[in-house]
Amino acid sequence: MNHLTEVVFVNYYSEKHLHRCVQNLKGVQKIAITVVDNSGSYHAESVGTKVIAGHGNVGFGGACNIAVRASNATRFLFLNPDTMFTSAEIE
């Protein structure tokens, strides 16, 4: 069975770090990328990145719950925007 993993980031004025994370995920198979924008300052730079905005600063947990409710993924990976990783580690 093919599973889709949704990688969820919560943005709160962390665009610099978030851009690096999204770029590191390019080419990883069977993932979707969602950014819940708590600050209203993030604009998707990568095609295929879903941005959910307009809820204000609901905190990390609240933003993660928003992402889950808006998804049909079977698995989730919640990461802070300043997480250091390679695409191989995510796979």
Side-chain angles (χ1 to χ4, degrees), residues 15-45:
E15 294 81 12
K16 178 179 83 174
H17 300 291
L18 189 53
H19 175 71
R20 179 187 37 78
C21 285
V22 171
Q23 291 300 107
N24 283 348
L25 291 173
K26 284 190 174 198
V28 176
Q29 300 296 311
K30 299 181 188 173
I31 67 163
I33 303 169
T34 297
V35 174
V36 181
D37 188 13
N38 278 353
S39 62
S41 62
Y42 183 72
H43 304 287
E45 300 160 352

Side-chain angles (χ1 to χ4, degrees), residues 17 21 26 29 32 46 57 66 71 75 79 83 86 88-89:
H17 300 291
C21 285
K26 284 190 174 198
Q29 300 296 311
S46 180
N57 185 9
I66 289 169
S71 175
R75 296 183 292 193
L79 294 174
T83 304
T86 66
E89 291 169 321

